[in-house]
Amino acid sequence: MGKTVLAFDLGASSGRAVLGLFNGNTIELNEIHRFSNDPVSLCGTLYWDALRLFHEIKQGILKAKAAGGFDCVGIDTWGVDFGLIDKKGYLLENPVHYRDLRTEGMIEKSSEYISKSELYDKTGIQFMNFNTIFQLLSLKLNRSELLQRADKLLFMPDLLAYMLTGEKVSEYSIASTSQMLNIRSKDWDNEILEKTGLPREILCGIVPSGTVIGTLKSDICRELGVPAVPVIAVCGHDTQSAVAAIPAEEDDFAFISSGTWSLFGTELKEPIINEKAKKFDVTNEGGCGYTTDFLKNMCGLWLIQECRRQWKKEGSEYSYAEMEELARNTQPSESRIDPNDAVFSPMGDMPSRICEYCKNSGQPVPENHGEILRCVYESLAESYKEALCGIEDCTGKKYDKIYVVGGGVKDSLLCQMTADFCGVPVYAGSAEATVLGNIAVQLIASGEIKDLKQAREILAGMQCKIYNQQ
């Protein structure tokens, strides 16, 4: 009969529920529910609609029941964001979106409490202004009463799992995105918390990926008419779920988890924290089986997504395939942007900001949609080349191919440009890597698959499209 698991994969713009049927040799996917994940701006703050997301999770459970049932559940989401729970177990307010402006200046402010060098030495995490530590520092300085009312902090996948089970935990991979976890001890760093004055008591105990958190609560089971199946803490950070599904058979490999963000890196047994890594501002994120993903958080398809959103407002509605063709049929760009510049981080009129960046940097200004897109594609590919060189310099290794997984594998132009700019073949794996990794960890936790190595052997049987340098 096999084993059927239910995976919820929530990204920054949409979420989905997917059933994974494992017959002992292969994993068959059945997407049963897809929903939008739209942030809500209210009184100058950008929120996630957590209650709507939980409603959609319940709809996914109902559809999974109608499709024949399931044996367990796992949830992965984006990193860093969280909800605060009071002593009675109530959510104090909707979680704030990582693109909200409340963390502006918080990296600089944090240096009044702890030096950037010490913070990196302890956590190995790349400095990004929306990291959880800077969100909490903003609360401490501007909304201290909210922190005082909080009993527990739950990261997004842990928050949704809490709503299903009533259990409060912090899964290891999602906790590592906070920049408050000591990457060596694999626990919260008390010295960081003491120096910054952030409350240690609101942080939950950390559990490894693949931990059974609990079972569906009785009221959920009654409401939805389903049995009390286990809820498993998969790699809660979607990046780590995607990395778990990279079909690499070698131990040393380079990868890009390509989506709204591009995560470019390699998997290591131990973190690398030295002057080179610090200067390159690379992150050591916790992965499945307490591995370390040594990677660079970079802007990805966000630039293209925001261009599409803006042009739709202006009356030009493109599909992503049409945008890819526009760029493909445009001459190589004479201009470059830094995709990771803070100017491109907020939501809003992306095409205008791209043109303004080119103008302010003395470069030719793109004159039409095709030229804007061509500039974006080439700038992204060039940033991948820089990341590859930096990763190789830090690790002292050379990588003869790059595995790409995630939604970006559907963009053949970006895959080809990545091969051309980086000078190595690109192996485009599954667009469903995040869901496959989520499912694989559930199967490992259930005893159906031995370990991550066996999971990757199973996934390696899936066809990769290879893009050679042209």
Side-chain angles (χ1 to χ4, degrees):
M1 293 295 292
K3 187 91 167 180
T4 302
V5 306
L6 177 56
F8 287 98
D9 170 35
L10 279 69
S13 60
S14 66
R16 55 193 174 148
V18 180
L19 286 171
L21 174 61
F22 181 59
N23 63 10
N25 297 301
T26 60
I27 298 171
E28 180 183 334
L29 301 182
N30 177 20
E31 183 178 300
I32 55 172
H33 185 49
R34 181 175 284 268
F35 50 93
S36 177
N37 181 13
D38 300 303
V40 179
S41 181
L42 177 65
C43 300
T45 298
L46 193 63
Y47 295 97
W48 296 110
D49 192 347
L51 300 185
R52 168 54 59 177
L53 294 178
F54 185 59
H55 168 77
E56 298 292 356
I57 283 178
K58 290 197 287 187
Q59 298 312 299
I61 291 174
L62 284 172
K63 291 181 180 180
K65 171 190 169 185
F70 53 96
D71 299 305
C72 50
V73 181
I75 304 170
D76 67 77
T77 77
W78 63 97
V80 306
D81 289 342
F82 57 88
L84 295 173
I85 305 296
D86 71 11
K87 292 184 185 299
K88 293 184 178 180
Y90 295 110
L91 182 64
L92 287 171
E93 68 172 14
N94 264 314
V96 176
H97 195 295
Y98 62 85
R99 292 195 189 275
D100 184 75
L101 299 179
R102 67 175 176 169
T103 55
E104 284 189 348
M106 286 299 119
I107 292 180
E108 294 74 21
K109 187 68 179 177
S110 70
S111 63
E112 297 178 13
Y113 304 92
I114 184 170
S115 71
K116 289 183 68 175
S117 179
E118 184 179 3
L119 191 54
Y120 186 83
D121 286 344
K122 288 176 173 293
T123 67
I125 294 295
Q126 178 181 352
F127 283 84
M128 306 188 80
N129 65 350
F130 47 65
N131 289 350
T132 313
I133 189 171
F134 305 123
Q135 295 195 42
L136 287 174
L137 186 57
S138 173
L139 283 180
K140 173 191 169 184
L141 297 175
N142 301 304
R143 299 188 64 195
S144 59
E145 73 286 351
L146 186 64
L147 273 184
Q148 291 166 8
R149 292 173 57 202
D151 181 59
K152 292 298 177 188
L153 178 153
L154 292 170
F155 297 98
M156 290 305 299
D158 304 324
L159 174 65
L160 295 168
Y162 161 72
M163 292 177 177
L164 289 176
T165 65
E167 302 295 331
K168 304 169 191 171
V169 302
S170 287
E171 184 274 327
Y172 176 63
S173 74
I174 201 75
S176 74
T177 69
S178 68
Q179 208 166 14
M180 298 185 294
L181 180 138
N182 188 299
I183 195 62
R184 297 182 182 87
S185 70
K186 304 188 180 357
D187 199 357
W188 302 117
D189 192 291
N190 290 325
E191 190 172 357
I192 290 174
L193 297 168
E194 289 170 5
K195 287 190 174 184
T196 54
L198 298 177
R200 170 68 173 83
E201 63 274 10
I202 70 171
L203 301 177
C204 298
I206 296 173
V207 300
S209 310
T211 297
V212 177
I213 301 171
T215 59
L216 294 178
K217 293 191 299 181
S218 58
D219 61 318
I220 298 288
C221 294
R222 285 194 302 270
E223 177 189 355
L224 304 180
V226 294
V229 300
V231 177
I232 295 171
V234 297
C235 294
H237 190 201
D238 52 11
T239 297
Q240 299 311 319
S241 276
V243 172
I246 290 174
E249 298 185 79
E250 62 266 54
D251 291 331
D252 291 323
F253 57 88
F255 66 83
I256 304 174
S257 177
S258 179
T260 300
W261 290 92
S262 291
L263 295 307
F264 195 122
T266 187
E267 186 177 80
L268 303 172
K269 290 183 171 57
E270 298 293 336
I272 295 178
I273 301 176
N274 54 31
E275 288 305 313
K276 278 186 179 179
K278 192 181 301 182
K279 183 177 180 181
F280 188 49
D281 198 19
V282 68
T283 205
N284 290 267
E285 190 174 301
C288 186
Y290 288 120
T291 55
T292 294
D293 283 327
F294 189 67
L295 55 84
K296 187 79 172 174
N297 286 286
M298 307 165 68
C299 186
L301 299 177
W302 166 252
L303 296 167
I304 294 171
Q305 292 163 353
E306 282 298 287
C307 284
R308 180 173 182 257
R309 194 194 320 266
Q310 182 63 32
W311 289 331
K312 182 178 179 180
K313 288 180 183 178
E314 297 171 359
S316 298
E317 188 165 356
Y318 298 112
S319 69
Y320 286 115
E322 288 170 337
M323 293 172 73
E324 180 184 342
E325 280 306 300
L326 268 178
R328 188 189 304 276
N329 295 326
T330 301
Q331 290 297 313
S333 179
E334 298 179 18
S335 301
R336 293 286 185 272
I337 61 170
D338 176 2
N340 302 300
D341 193 293
V343 72
F344 301 120
S345 181
M347 300 177 73
D349 187 348
M350 187 65 73
S352 293
R353 277 179 279 162
I354 291 170
C355 292
E356 189 70 17
Y357 183 99
C358 293
K359 178 182 177 181
N360 292 340
S361 55
Q363 303 180 86
V365 177
E367 296 182 355
N368 55 50
H369 294 178
E371 289 185 3
I372 290 172
L373 288 168
R374 186 78 188 200
C375 173
V376 168
Y377 271 94
E378 294 183 4
S379 297
L380 285 173
E382 193 163 275
S383 72
Y384 296 161
K385 177 184 177 181
E386 293 171 0
L388 176 62
C389 291
I391 295 292
E392 288 182 335
D393 188 33
C394 290
T395 61
K397 300 174 181 178
K398 285 288 184 182
Y399 302 97
D400 61 2
K401 65 174 73 75
I402 298 171
Y403 290 94
V404 179
V405 293
V409 303
K410 298 176 183 178
D411 195 318
S412 61
L413 178 59
L414 184 57
C415 289
Q416 185 60 62
M417 284 191 174
T418 301
D420 293 341
F421 277 72
C422 293
V424 295
V426 163
Y427 283 63
S430 176
E432 306 298 336
T434 307
V435 162
L436 284 168
N438 180 320
I439 290 168
V441 173
Q442 290 191 64
L443 292 171
I444 293 169
S446 302
E448 299 292 320
I449 293 177
K450 180 182 177 182
D451 53 22
L452 186 58
K453 180 177 175 60
Q454 184 185 5
R456 285 181 173 152
E457 288 172 354
I458 292 169
L459 296 174
M462 296 183 171
Q463 187 72 29
C464 278
K465 183 174 181 179
I466 302 174
Y467 295 84
N468 290 302
Q469 183 183 8
Q470 292 182 349

